[in-house]
Amino acid sequence: MSAIRTIAVIGTGTIGASWAALFLGHGHDVIAHDPRPGSADDLRMTVARLLPDARPRVPVAQGALSFAASAEEAAGRADLIQENAPERPDIKADLIARLEAAMPAHCLIASSTTALTHSVITAKAKNPERIIVAHPFNPPHLVPLVELVGKSPDSPAIKRAYAFYRALGREPVVLKKEAVGHLANRLQAALVREALYILQEGIADIAEIDKAVKFGPGLRWAFMGPFQTYHLAGGEAGIRHYMEHLLPSQMQRWAALGTPVMDASFIAQVVSGVEAATGGRPVAEMAAERDHALKAIIAALAGQGDGETSDQPGSSVSN
């Protein structure tokens, strides 16, 4: 349970670079490794761009950024390893086994895997209890959510990681058991599936679907989850009234939901439709607008005090 001071960031693409900026901005030293040519220069430039938004409200001395020639070299000098390799089970399992063999006894491995389960990524590990899933939402230096999955929800590794990410101003949630896609991506996938089904059925076009989410439920989702939303939908009696009187209507909607047929023709329709709806705007430009809006939303939520935040894993209603 030694302090986490030095972090190895393995893989410095979009997610890894954002993690690195967050760690550096909070005073941690970062040892980075990515086999891609030019990755060191790319990371330096990206970190310089992201750091102003990655620092805490009360500034601390910035950590030092260095580079390792191999993943094993970086792991050998780390207190925590944030792994961001491609989302392939074979690559993840092999890499994690190599990192585990090279890291100090007190070190933890935290995988940013989007959908792979803990048992899959630790398939070749000798001590899976030293390895956790720590899945962020993009970009991690702005979006506070970190989903934690370990050998067990109350393991020492989970408790240590929970405290570490909380100290970075993140909002970790601990899953009680592993699941493909973890938590938030499963919820998001359900919405996207129905959005695609609505498009395929000709109920609405892409621009209208995005608009409906943006100016409707998306506004509420920025500050409350589905259970609180339906609690308020029940009026003064809350969720009890909703379940007793409004549930039949909800069940009718569930029965009408569908699964799109993702054939080549429909995929082409989705791609051309999104490109038309976004007017050909550069993705980087849209991402900058997204980040600007995220910062405004996060600032508005600061100090909201909704009772969902806890300093201990397992005691938050978010779990």
Side-chain angles (χ1 to χ4, degrees), residues 33-48:
H33 172 74
D34 191 311
R36 178 175 49 86
S39 60
D41 289 339
D42 289 346
L43 181 61
R44 288 189 185 98
M45 290 188 293
T46 303
V47 163

Side-chain angles (χ1 to χ4, degrees), residues 13 54 104 113 146 166 188 191 217 266 318:
T113 178
V146 183
R166 283 285 291 140
Q188 185 168 254
L191 174 65
F266 183 55
S318 298

Side-chain angles (χ1 to χ4, degrees), residues 5 60 112 144 157 177 198 220 225 252-253 272 276 301 312 318:
R5 297 185 178 89
V60 298
S112 300
K177 63 180 183 179
I198 286 171
R220 290 193 299 243
Q252 286 182 334
R253 292 193 292 275
S272 63
L301 290 174
Q312 295 296 326
S318 298

Side-chain angles (χ1 to χ4, degrees), residues 37-239:
S39 60
D41 289 339
D42 289 346
L43 181 61
R44 288 189 185 98
M45 290 188 293
T46 303
V47 163
R49 176 172 56 85
L50 300 182
L51 264 174
D53 294 326
R55 292 190 174 99
R57 293 181 188 176
V58 179
V60 298
Q62 182 179 320
L65 174 62
S66 61
F67 298 86
S70 68
E72 289 86 348
E73 178 190 341
R77 297 156 51 194
D79 302 312
L80 181 138
I81 301 165
Q82 191 76 48
E83 175 270 317
N84 313 285
E87 193 74 355
R88 285 178 45 187
D90 54 344
I91 291 177
K92 292 276 193 191
D94 287 343
L95 175 60
I96 284 173
R98 288 165 43 209
L99 295 172
E100 181 191 28
M103 71 186 190
H106 68 278
C107 187
L108 296 178
I109 299 176
S111 175
S112 300
T113 178
T114 301
L116 300 178
T117 61
H118 182 266
S119 59
V120 167
I121 66 171
T122 62
K124 299 183 179 181
K126 293 183 177 178
N127 297 293
E129 64 275 6
R130 298 173 63 191
I131 301 157
I132 66 167
V133 170
H135 171 243
F137 255 50
N138 187 35
H141 74 285
L142 290 180
V143 181
L145 178 65
V146 183
E147 299 175 322
L148 302 180
V149 189
K151 189 72 174 175
S152 68
D154 57 353
S155 69
I158 288 292
K159 292 179 179 179
R160 188 180 180 202
Y162 191 100
F164 170 69
Y165 291 110
R166 283 285 291 140
L168 296 175
R170 304 303 90 186
E171 291 290 347
V173 296
V174 180
L175 274 66
K176 298 182 184 301
K177 63 180 183 179
E178 67 177 20
V180 174
H182 318 313
L183 175 55
N185 265 338
R186 291 176 68 93
L187 297 171
Q188 185 168 254
L191 174 65
V192 172
R193 180 174 64 181
E194 184 58 22
L196 288 166
Y197 183 72
I198 286 171
L199 176 66
Q200 191 166 65
E201 290 294 297
I203 298 170
D205 61 23
I206 285 174
E208 296 302 305
I209 294 168
D210 276 353
K211 185 176 180 180
V213 174
K214 177 180 177 180
F215 293 108
L219 292 175
R220 290 193 299 243
W221 292 339
F223 58 89
M224 68 172 57
F227 289 106
Q228 287 192 19
T229 296
Y230 279 96
H231 183 51
L232 296 185
E236 289 298 322
I239 192 66

Side-chain angles (χ1 to χ4, degrees), residues 240-304:
R240 182 179 300 278
H241 179 269
Y242 186 90
M243 290 295 182
E244 291 175 351
H245 298 280
L246 301 175
L247 183 58
S249 174
Q250 178 70 281
M251 294 177 70
Q252 286 182 334
R253 292 193 292 275
W254 289 340
L257 300 180
T259 299
V261 177
M262 301 303 296
D263 55 23
S265 175
F266 183 55
I267 291 172
Q269 178 187 345
V270 172
V271 171
S272 63
V274 170
E275 290 174 345
T278 56
R281 297 176 61 203
V283 171
E285 178 184 308
M286 297 178 66
E289 289 186 1
R290 174 204 64 192
D291 292 353
H292 178 76
L294 283 173
K295 287 185 284 186
I297 292 170
I298 292 167
L301 290 174
Q304 181 188 32

